[in-house]
Amino acid sequence: MLRDLELILIFPRGVKIDWLAGFLCAFLLASCATAVPGPEPADSINYEQPKAPVAISLNAYFHGLRTVELIIDEAAYTFLLDTAAGRTLLSPQLAAKTACKPSGRDVGYRMNGEPVVFRNCERLQATLSGYPIQLAPVAVFDVNALLPPELPRLDGVLALDSFRGQVITLDWPGNELIIHPAENAVAAWASQKLPLRFATGENGAALSVLLPVQATGTPLWFLLDSGNIRGTLVSRELVQERLIEVAPDASAQLAIGTSPVESLAVVADDINYDGVLGADFLQTRTITLDLRNAP
């Protein structure tokens, strides 16, 4: 790993370890590609919007990361909510409990372009605060291999592919994710009118979103990544080309979506995106995403 991607973290027990900061921010991103042969495009069955709002509790995990409780076969499991994971995934241990036999080979790419190989199970059927999740296929990867031992183990990662066809609000300050019913979905989106760019990977199974950002008058697209705890990242190349102006105090003037220009602390890095908005960004506001037309 590149040295500047590492961060020394002090855990509650006083144990100091090296850890890839924003460990899942670079795991299965929206740019994930697929080796041949790959699975069929994702078949999400959740396109029908709920008849009433679905409120999902977000639980604090570590440094701004959030988890949710997913019910599978009447048992509760802990999933990290990662808006940039691209694919919802199960740990191998949970996959074995569901009688899944992982097959095939998919390749995702870390933020710096490094590949990560994972496999697939045929189908996932679960509920999230009563909301049905049905995906075909679902990814399988040992996410706990990326975690330091001091953190609680995860059973999987919940990505935006589980919310295709929905309008959702991410309320990080209020520790809640809301799935809006059809009757107020348009009004919920109209409160921000946030344009989105969808990224689905080469085989169409993934789903992540990028938000429009203006910097020095140049239109850019930043990945929304709730699994990133390193702050707002910007492309080192764009900084060098002065398409993003970084002040001596490591801040940049950015206009995100339809919001006015604001000053954000940024970190220049070698990434595959114009920029990345992480957990710090989400903790300062609520974001409504219209995924009704997501491919």
Side-chain angles (χ1 to χ4, degrees):
M1 293 295 176
L2 298 179
R3 179 177 296 275
D4 61 357
L5 287 179
E6 295 179 350
L7 181 68
I8 302 296
L9 297 178
I10 306 294
F11 285 86
R13 282 192 262 170
V15 179
K16 182 184 291 186
I17 63 171
D18 286 329
W19 184 34
L20 180 64
F23 64 109
L24 280 174
C25 68
F27 165 51
L28 288 176
L29 297 178
S31 63
C32 49
T34 304
V36 178
E40 294 298 318
D43 176 22
S44 174
I45 311 173
N46 297 322
Y47 295 130
E48 183 176 349
Q49 292 168 271
K51 292 180 170 49
V54 178
I56 298 163
S57 296
L58 304 181
N59 305 308
Y61 183 62
F62 178 78
H63 278 241
L65 301 176
R66 298 287 190 269
T67 62
V68 296
E69 184 177 86
L70 209 64
I71 305 298
I72 303 174
D73 296 333
E74 299 183 353
Y77 297 96
T78 300
F79 279 59
L80 184 81
L81 177 59
D82 188 350
T83 59
R87 297 280 304 278
T88 292
L89 67 90
L90 309 178
S91 70
Q93 295 79 9
L94 178 54
K97 290 181 181 180
T98 64
C100 157
K101 296 180 179 179
S103 61
R105 179 181 184 271
D106 267 11
V107 180
Y109 291 93
R110 298 182 187 273
M111 203 172 289
N112 64 356
E114 181 182 353
V116 176
V117 178
F118 59 99
R119 308 187 78 191
N120 292 285
C121 280
E122 180 179 354
R123 184 173 295 272
L124 169 67
Q125 293 184 322
T127 59
L128 183 65
S129 294
Y131 169 72
I133 292 175
Q134 302 178 60
L135 292 173
V138 62
V140 178
F141 183 83
D142 188 6
V143 62
N144 291 304
L146 303 178
L147 299 177
E150 284 77 11
L151 288 184
R153 302 297 88 182
L154 295 169
D155 298 304
V157 174
L158 189 71
L160 292 181
D161 61 343
S162 293
F163 301 103
R164 274 188 173 93
Q166 307 300 333
V167 175
I168 65 172
T169 293
L170 301 172
D171 183 359
W172 238 244
N175 292 312
E176 191 173 56
L177 183 154
I178 299 172
I179 306 173
H180 296 281
E183 63 184 19
N184 70 0
V186 173
W189 175 81
S191 65
Q192 295 176 343
K193 296 185 178 179
L194 186 63
L196 299 176
R197 175 178 287 180
F198 300 114
T200 63
E202 290 186 358
N203 69 350
L207 179 59
S208 297
V209 297
L210 293 90
L211 277 54
V213 175
Q214 289 283 337
T216 65
T218 302
L220 305 171
W221 289 90
F222 280 30
L223 181 72
L224 182 63
D225 185 0
S226 64
N228 167 34
I229 60 172
R230 297 186 61 217
T232 299
L233 308 181
V234 294
S235 164
R236 196 186 309 278
E237 286 76 10
L238 294 185
V239 173
Q240 293 170 347
E241 295 167 6
R242 303 184 69 85
L243 295 178
I244 298 177
E245 296 279 0
V246 179
D249 64 353
S251 67
Q253 301 296 312
L254 304 174
I256 300 168
T258 57
S259 299
V261 174
E262 59 186 300
S263 179
L264 291 178
V266 299
V267 177
D269 205 349
D270 299 314
I271 55 178
N272 294 344
Y273 301 91
D274 295 337
V276 178
L277 301 167
D280 286 353
F281 171 79
L282 285 169
Q283 289 189 87
T284 64
R285 67 206 74 203
T286 61
I287 297 290
T288 296
L289 306 176
D290 186 352
L291 306 179
R292 290 174 298 175
N293 296 319

